[in-house]
Every structure is written in C-alpha cells, then in structure tokens.
Amino acid sequence: GAVVSQHPSWVICKSGTSVKIECRSLDFQATTMFWYRQFPKQSLMLMATSNEGSKATYEQGVEKDKFLINHASLTLSTLTVTSAHPEDSSFYICSARPRTSHLGTQYFGPGTRLLVL
Amino acid sequence: GESVGLHLPTLSVQEGDNSIINCAYSNSASDYFIWYKQESGKGPQFIIDIRSNMDKRQGQRVTVLLNKTVKHLSLQIAATQPGDSAVYFCAEIFSGYSTLTFGKGTMLLVSP
C-alpha cells in the first residue's frame, strides 16, 4: 500500500527557533501534498495545499510567512515553522495524493508532535 | 452529539456489540465521503468511502450509510473489538475544490 512518512515524529524546541518537518511519499509520486494541524481532542484543520513545483495555497487564517511550505520533488514536501512560539505547539500531519488518483484519495503520514517551550 | 470546546463525543460499547457513529456534513454539494480512524498519536487511517450517488456501501465489518436529504453520514461497525477503540472522523469533499473537510470526530471506546 501507499506509505507516507514524516520526520521527525516529535520535536521539542525553544521559543523563537525554526523547525522543519519533512513529509515523504515512499512508494508513489505525489503531485499534491497537504498539511494539517490538529490540537488535542479536535479535528484536523487543513493549513495548506502544496503542489510540486509551485507555490503552496494556504487556507484562510494561516500565515504563509510563518508556515513555509516547499514541495521540491514528487516525493517530498517540507513544512517549516518559523520563529516558533508555544501556541504553535500542535500535532502536524501531512498527506499525499498520488499522481493518478481520485481527488479524494489522500494517504496520511503518522504525524509530527511539536512542543515549543 | 455535538462536541463543545475540547470535548469529543464519546461512544462506549462492549466488545461484540455493533457500533454506530454519526456525522453531519456541511456542504450539500459534497460528492465524496470518507471515514477515517485515528488512533492516539497517529495519523488518520482510511476505513471506507462512499460517493454521493450511493446510499450504502459495505466493507469488512463496516458499513457506511449516506442520507443526502439531511446531510447525514453514519459508520456502522459490526462485532466491535477493543482494537476498534479510536477517534473516528468523517470527511467530505466537493470535487470542485479537491480538499477534504473533516468533521469533529467521535471517540469510540470498546470495553472487553
């Protein structure tokens, strides 16, 4: 089956530092990747849609200068949380859509837990 | 029920019971629906999907029912097992937009 990995699985950082999270599709090419954020006991909220080779599309209310997304290849997208603050602490989940698939098909990564002190 | 603040609706069942998890979706134009299972500290896992031209679809131990009239989706799990304990989310997609919108989620607790 289609596998999506994330690295790191968890990270603790100091306030003001930047953190990069990687999302990789291991056995398929993904033209589109998605980044979600999930707070405890809440649902997944879409942050942005990332298309290979083009700029990401951010959802309303998500600061594009704070959450930098790069989708440089068909198997890798990165999310960089710049100048992280405690309120950025959350569970970040990526998903990937295979090149040839139904629009609703998304394979999810295992998530990255970020704690900002 | 509806979640309020940080409280997820919770369904508690005994092992072997049948479980029914409900979801109200928001967009009457949505044409594809998916149920996901999320275990603690993990990403969502696909369970079953259904297109808007269907009202029922069955999988292994799971059945999804779609009522477009009232914008309601349900997931039925037969012979629920402790390993089914997780948070279940419905998600909808309108193919014109191609992004998933997740529902609020329901926590299923299965007692042995």
Side-chain angles (χ1 to χ4, degrees):
Chain A
V3 178
V4 175
S5 70
Q6 283 184 239
H7 178 81
S9 56
W10 60 270
V11 57
I12 302 173
C13 70
K14 293 182 179 179
S15 185
T17 61
S18 295
V19 175
K20 180 185 283 189
I21 302 169
E22 292 185 349
C23 177
R24 293 183 184 271
S25 56
L26 298 185
D27 49 4
F28 65 95
Q29 293 184 328
T31 49
T32 306
M33 289 184 170
F34 304 86
W35 287 96
Y36 296 84
R37 182 163 59 178
Q38 185 178 33
F39 292 108
K41 296 189 176 182
Q42 294 190 28
S43 189
L44 283 76
M45 297 298 295
L46 179 65
M47 299 175 66
T49 301
S50 166
N51 291 297
E52 187 264 339
S54 63
K55 291 184 179 181
T57 303
Y58 290 82
E59 294 299 301
Q60 192 173 11
V62 178
E63 300 175 58
K64 62 180 180 181
D65 294 331
K66 180 168 185 61
F67 298 100
L68 300 179
I69 291 172
N70 184 281
H71 192 162
S73 77
L74 287 171
T75 58
L76 174 64
S77 176
T78 60
L79 168 68
T80 301
V81 183
T82 62
S83 187
H85 290 284
E87 58 265 29
D88 298 324
S89 299
S90 189
F91 193 49
Y92 292 87
I93 305 171
C94 74
S95 69
R97 174 186 297 155
R99 182 201 291 264
T100 53
S101 66
H102 181 271
L103 286 175
T105 303
Q106 293 185 26
Y107 298 101
F108 286 84
T112 296
R113 189 162 302 282
L114 170 63
L115 176 61
V116 185
L117 302 177
Chain B
E2 293 291 322
S3 63
V4 177
L6 297 179
H7 300 284
L8 278 173
T10 300
L11 175 65
S12 297
V13 301
Q14 294 284 325
E15 181 178 3
D17 288 351
N18 295 330
S19 303
I20 300 176
I21 300 170
N22 297 304
C23 174
Y25 64 92
S26 58
N27 187 353
S28 58
S30 292
D31 49 16
Y32 182 61
F33 305 88
I34 308 171
W35 278 100
Y36 290 95
K37 172 186 180 182
Q38 186 180 28
E39 296 175 321
S40 182
K42 298 183 179 180
Q45 176 186 353
F46 173 92
I47 301 173
I48 192 168
D49 59 358
I50 188 168
R51 296 181 187 273
S52 60
N53 60 353
M54 304 171 68
D55 52 21
K56 180 178 180 179
R57 189 161 189 232
Q58 288 185 292
Q60 189 174 18
R61 277 202 311 123
V62 294
T63 301
V64 55
L65 298 178
L66 173 62
N67 185 332
K68 294 182 290 294
T69 303
V70 294
K71 293 191 291 184
H72 184 267
L73 201 63
S74 70
L75 176 70
Q76 300 178 1
I77 305 174
T80 315
Q81 303 167 0
D84 295 327
S85 294
V87 178
Y88 290 80
F89 293 98
C90 67
E92 60 184 297
I93 185 169
F94 169 50
S95 54
Y97 291 120
S98 78
T99 57
L100 286 172
T101 300
F102 280 82
K104 295 178 181 178
T106 297
M107 179 174 291
L108 175 66
L109 296 175
V110 184
S111 312

